[in-house]
Structures are given as structure tokens and as C-alpha cells.
Amino acid sequence: MAVLYFFREPETVFDCAGFICVLQFLMGCNGFGIRGSNFRISRASRIYSMSVAMAALVCLFGSLSALLAAEDVRERLAKADDLVLSISVMELVMSTLVFVVTVISLQVFARRHLGIYQRLAALDARLMSDFGANLNYRKMLRKNIALLGIVTIIYLISIISAAFQVASGHRALFLLFAFCYIIVTGGPHFTGYVHMTLAEMLGIRLRLLQQLLQPEFLNWRFPQVQVQELRIRQVVSMIQELHYLVQEINRVYALSLWVAMAHDLAISTSELYILFGQSVGMGQQDEEENSSSYRMLGYVALCMIPPLYKLLIAPFYCDRTIYEARRCLRLVEKLDDWYPQKSSLRPLVESLMSWRMQAKIQFTSGLDVVLDRKVIGLFTSILVNYLLILIQFAMTQKMGEQIEQQKIALQEWIGF
């Protein structure tokens, strides 16, 4: 596929995840960089991450202060809707807080974060050397490039176009502010996509291990009794290792993921208000103002795509991975029935089942919010209910305006 012409053929999990991790690193949201075909934590990578974060925040608020000092900008803000201004201030404060929390938490857990990829790489090496597995890194890399490329282009176009539209005599400052805002909001966005990709990677390996546990495959691929038992033990240990990786991902992303989800939900509802609230009175403006307002609303709608996608799709990946993990454990339970002659497997199965009862594995964020389909339903219901409230509010406002116009017309007809 043409999208991979500029990328080398992926051979390891580091090559597969390198594209998305580089984007996360460029935004200052992880503490390790890429050297060759591996990830490395160094003093230079730490300094770069913190420098990018501090420079982005300084330039963001520096350009904002310069813009607020301009007389024409203050006049335009004085004419703007108070509630929209409040939403904009809230978004700026929340985005800054989320960015700072994400940078600090991922710097603190940088070695654990890197350890997840190293453990995945070791597990993949065992799968390929002992079982001859094909992990199809190319397909995963192609998906990451296509998805993140589309989302990034949409996000950049919407923010930069909005900056060009509102810029009048201060284009350089508006563009600097927009660029810094992209870094401050893009870092947590890419962090959410990294978490989503990790969940998907675990799910792919769990589905592969299900195939490796099938008696037909084991009897065909490893007819020797001793080798077959060894491979079964290896598969069971890899299943347990993937469960441990779920817990490790939860530790690394607990705080950053929770604040990012809270921000995504808040900004999505706020942008819904801007879309519906500002579109109510647009018919009363002249044609040029209507065109400008419609373009701005279009930019706002495009900005909603990345947070909404993360908010609603990421829990789906997490839920599916946990489903595949449960299927693996159910297959392990059946080993006693499939191989009754191998009594040495019984203690292995019993110990894994006992561990399963004690360690309930789920993808979670901060405050132990379980990321599954129920969370998707909860977020969807919140957004739909908020949307219905906005529609009802818009209809009530229009009805009030019509009643007021009828009163004025009636008073003019009577002669008051």
C-alpha cells in the first residue's frame, strides 16, 4: 500500500508502534525516544520532553497575553457571547491542566511505559521462534498511519483555519497561539490513541494464543508428547503475561487517561452547546456574517472528531481485549478434558484458575472507572441527553422570539 512507501518494513513491535510513539514524543508526552529499532530513555529525551512542554505553555499564554493587550481584540471579545467566552476559558484551563498532568505522569512512569513494549517484544520473539507465528506488523502500522494521518489532518485544518478566520491584523500571534494549542491538546489526544493501540495489540496476541491452544493445531504442529506439553505451558504463561500487561497499562495510564476522558466529555458537551446555541440566531444576520458563522461552526464540529472518537471507540477496544482474555482462560480450563493423560497439566490449570479468581483483570482509568461497553453507553447517553436538552432549549428560545414578535405586531396594529 502506498501509505507505507516512506516507512521501512516493520519487523518488531518497536517498528510497529514507532510511528505513534514518535508523535507522542514530539508532543512532549513520553520520556523515551527511538534509537534504531528500539525505544530508549536518555537524559536528552527527558530534557526534550520537558522543554517542549514548557515552551508550548509559555508560548501559548505569552501569545494570548499579547493578543489580549490589543485594543481591537478586546473590542471583539466585549461583543462576544459571555457563555461562549466562559466555555473558551474553561477549555483553555482544562486543556492546560490535562497536558501538564499527562506530561508529568508519563515522565514519572516512563520506565514502566517502556517496559510494556519490551515485554511485548519478548513475548513476540517467543511466538515467532517457538510457534512460527506471523504477527502481521505491516497491517497494524498501516492502520496507525492511516487513522492518525486522517485525524491529524482534520485537527490541524480546523484549528489553523479558525485561527486564519479570526485573525485580523495579528495573524502571526494567532498562528503561534494555534500552534501551541495544537501541541497542548494534541499530546493528550495522541496519548489516548497510544493506549488504544496497546489494548488492540494485546487483543491480537490473545486471539493468536487461542488458535495455538487448539488441540488440532498442537497435535499437528507438535506431535512429540514432551514438546507439546512444553508448548502448552509456554502458551499458558504468555496468557498470564498478557493479563499482567493489562494491569501494567492501567498503572501507567491511570491518571493521564482519566483526566483526558473528563476533558473530552466536558469539551464535547461545550462544543455541542456552541454548535446549537450559536446557530439559533444566525438567520437574523446578513449573508456575509452568516457565511463566516457557518465556517466557524464547521471548524468547531471538526475539532469534536478526535475527542469524540477517543471517548467512544477506546472503551470498545478495551472491552474486546478483555473478552478475548476471558476466552483464553476458558480454553485453558478445557485442557484437563482435552489431555486427561497429562496429569502434570492439572496443577497448572488449577493455579491459573485460582489466580484468575483473585485478580479480576479489567482496563481501568483513574478512580477505577472500568473501560468497557457500559462506559460507551454511559457517555453516549450523556451526550444524547445533552443534545436533546439543547434542541429543546433552541425550540423554546425560538418560540419565545416568535411570541415576542407577535406581541410587537399586535401592539403596532392596535396603535400602542
Side-chain angles (χ1 to χ4, degrees):
M1 187 177 176
V3 75
L4 286 178
Y5 286 167
F6 301 102
F7 298 85
R8 66 181 180 183
E9 190 70 21
E11 298 177 354
T12 65
V13 70
F14 299 110
D15 297 332
C16 179
F19 176 73
I20 189 170
C21 287
V22 163
L23 292 176
Q24 189 186 25
F25 175 71
L26 291 176
M27 298 288 181
C29 285
N30 67 29
F32 54 83
I34 295 182
R35 185 178 300 173
S37 295
N38 292 310
F39 298 160
R40 291 283 188 273
I41 294 178
S42 63
R43 182 178 298 176
S45 64
R46 296 277 198 176
I47 293 173
Y48 171 83
S49 298
M50 298 305 297
S51 299
V52 167
M54 289 188 290
L57 292 175
V58 170
C59 292
L60 179 73
F61 288 100
S63 59
L64 180 62
S65 301
L67 287 171
L68 293 177
E71 186 66 28
D72 58 334
V73 175
R74 289 204 301 268
E75 290 177 358
R76 291 167 64 183
L77 290 177
K79 297 176 183 178
D81 184 88
D82 292 337
L83 191 52
V84 173
L85 286 178
S86 301
I87 290 174
S88 302
V89 173
M90 180 195 73
E91 156 61 9
L92 187 60
V93 172
M94 287 191 66
S95 297
T96 304
L97 178 63
V98 171
F99 181 68
V100 171
V101 170
T102 301
V103 170
I104 293 175
S105 64
L106 291 181
Q107 287 291 329
V108 171
F109 292 109
R111 297 198 180 278
R112 279 190 161 184
H113 193 188
L114 177 59
I116 293 172
Y117 290 102
Q118 291 173 338
R119 291 164 69 176
L120 270 177
L123 188 143
D124 289 356
R126 292 168 61 189
L127 284 171
M128 289 185 286
S129 62
D130 296 338
F131 297 91
N134 178 17
L135 292 166
N136 206 353
Y137 292 125
R138 180 185 178 89
K139 183 177 179 181
M140 188 72 181
L141 177 61
R142 186 171 59 203
K143 178 183 177 182
N144 286 339
I145 294 171
L147 174 63
L148 292 178
I150 292 172
V151 172
T152 302
I153 290 172
I154 290 174
Y155 199 61
L156 288 174
I157 289 176
S158 59
I159 293 179
I160 293 176
S161 299
F164 268 108
Q165 180 168 336
V166 299
S168 57
H170 306 280
R171 182 162 294 179
L173 284 175
F174 272 109
L175 287 178
L176 177 61
F177 178 82
F179 180 73
C180 294
Y181 179 78
I182 289 170
I183 294 177
V184 169
T185 56
H189 285 331
F190 280 121
T191 298
Y193 289 119
V194 171
H195 180 271
M196 192 189 310
T197 303
L198 283 171
E200 187 177 12
M201 284 182 174
L202 298 190
I204 291 171
R205 284 148 184 79
L206 286 166
R207 286 194 295 272
L208 177 59
L209 291 175
Q210 291 171 28
Q211 298 175 12
L212 299 182
L213 269 181
Q214 296 297 326
E216 296 82 5
F217 171 80
L218 290 170
N219 293 331
W220 168 76
R221 188 71 173 79
F222 308 107
Q224 300 89 349
V225 176
Q226 292 181 346
V227 175
Q228 188 178 96
E229 183 174 342
L230 175 63
R231 296 295 182 251
I232 291 174
R233 289 181 176 276
Q234 286 179 326
V235 172
V236 173
S237 68
M238 285 189 280
I239 291 173
Q240 193 168 15
E241 172 69 5
L242 289 173
H243 280 75
Y244 284 133
L245 282 177
V246 172
Q247 294 177 323
E248 191 69 7
I249 292 171
N250 290 339
R251 295 187 189 100
V252 171
Y253 284 92
L255 186 57
S256 61
L257 192 63
W258 182 77
V259 295
M261 289 174 63
H263 168 261
D264 292 343
L265 186 60
I267 193 57
S268 297
T269 53
S270 300
E271 288 175 344
L272 279 176
Y273 168 78
I274 293 175
L275 288 174
F276 277 85
Q278 295 301 301
S279 62
V280 171
M282 286 174 56
Q284 302 173 359
Q285 302 172 351
D286 57 41
E287 185 176 348
E288 184 177 352
E289 289 180 345
N290 274 339
S291 176
S292 176
S293 298
Y294 277 123
R295 284 199 301 270
M296 186 58 69
L297 292 180
Y299 301 146
V300 173
L302 288 176
C303 287
M304 287 181 63
I305 294 176
L308 272 181
Y309 182 84
K310 282 195 308 158
L311 197 64
L312 300 179
I313 302 300
F316 171 77
Y317 280 104
C318 297
D319 185 80
R320 189 169 64 177
T321 297
I322 296 302
Y323 171 74
E324 299 296 345
R326 289 170 180 165
R327 289 188 62 186
C328 283
L329 292 176
R330 284 196 291 268
L331 289 177
V332 172
E333 282 184 290
K334 295 179 182 179
L335 288 176
D336 277 343
D337 299 330
W338 290 340
Y339 303 99
Q341 73 278 8
K342 297 178 181 179
S343 58
S344 58
L345 290 179
R346 184 166 298 172
L348 176 67
V349 175
E350 290 177 352
S351 64
L352 186 63
M353 293 303 105
S354 175
W355 171 82
R356 173 192 179 184
M357 297 300 295
Q358 297 174 4
K360 295 182 179 179
I361 307 298
Q362 291 282 0
F363 277 103
T364 60
S365 63
L367 302 180
D368 291 330
V369 177
V370 178
L371 302 177
D372 55 12
R373 295 175 190 267
K374 293 180 181 178
V375 173
I376 299 176
L378 174 64
F379 291 154
T380 305
S381 64
I382 291 173
L383 293 175
V384 170
N385 289 333
Y386 190 77
L387 186 60
L388 292 175
I389 292 171
L390 289 177
I391 293 173
Q392 185 179 7
F393 172 76
M395 292 175 64
T396 303
Q397 187 173 358
K398 285 184 177 180
M399 188 178 298
E401 292 175 356
Q402 291 174 357
I403 293 174
E404 190 66 28
Q405 290 174 0
Q406 289 175 359
K407 285 182 179 180
I408 294 173
L410 182 60
Q411 289 174 356
E412 289 177 352
W413 181 73
I414 294 175
F416 285 97

